[in-house]
Amino acid sequence: MNYDTFVDQVTRRVRTDPERAVVLVHATLATLAERLTGGEVLDLATQLPAPLRLALRPSPSTEAADRFGAAEFVARVAQRADLDEPAARDVVRAVFVTVREAVSGGEFDDLVTRFPRDYRDLVEPALTPGVSALRPA
């Protein structure tokens, strides 16, 4: 999937404009980068469009994963994107569905297995075959 298609999919799913969708995608991916180890981040980044790799750039301080739960994940996205938490939850779901479409199934499965059970609500829409739209943010 190319960058424009990725942004268009998120734009459609959260019913926003493309510029805002870019902010939402970067907020979600930056938070995801904090949750994964540096190696896991690099594995994911290699399968995403080049402009999105910047949000996933690991640093020496992110080599070890920060093991926070789903509520904290949503709170961090909300803070980064200036959203309330229910809207941030919908954004995270939409970005995860789009990431699932953009990367190999094995890579996404590897990603999902890194999350504890409390992430189920966030990743389940991405695991549902044929999911194309989510509730508006």
Side-chain angles (χ1 to χ4, degrees), residues 6 10 14 20-36 41 44 48 52 55-56 68 72-74 76-83 87-99 111 115 119 122-123:
F6 194 102
V10 174
V14 297
R20 181 69 176 144
V22 168
V23 170
L24 300 174
V25 168
H26 280 266
T28 304
L29 293 179
T31 304
L32 183 58
E34 293 171 342
R35 183 63 179 78
L36 302 174
V41 170
L44 178 61
L48 290 176
L52 299 179
L56 287 169
F68 49 86
E72 178 65 17
F73 191 102
V74 169
R76 290 182 187 200
V77 171
Q79 181 179 12
R80 282 187 166 108
D82 193 28
L83 294 168
R89 182 171 294 281
D90 287 340
V91 164
V92 169
R93 288 180 187 135
V95 172
F96 281 173
V97 168
T98 309
V99 166
L111 173 73
F115 295 137
Y119 278 77
L122 297 176
V123 298

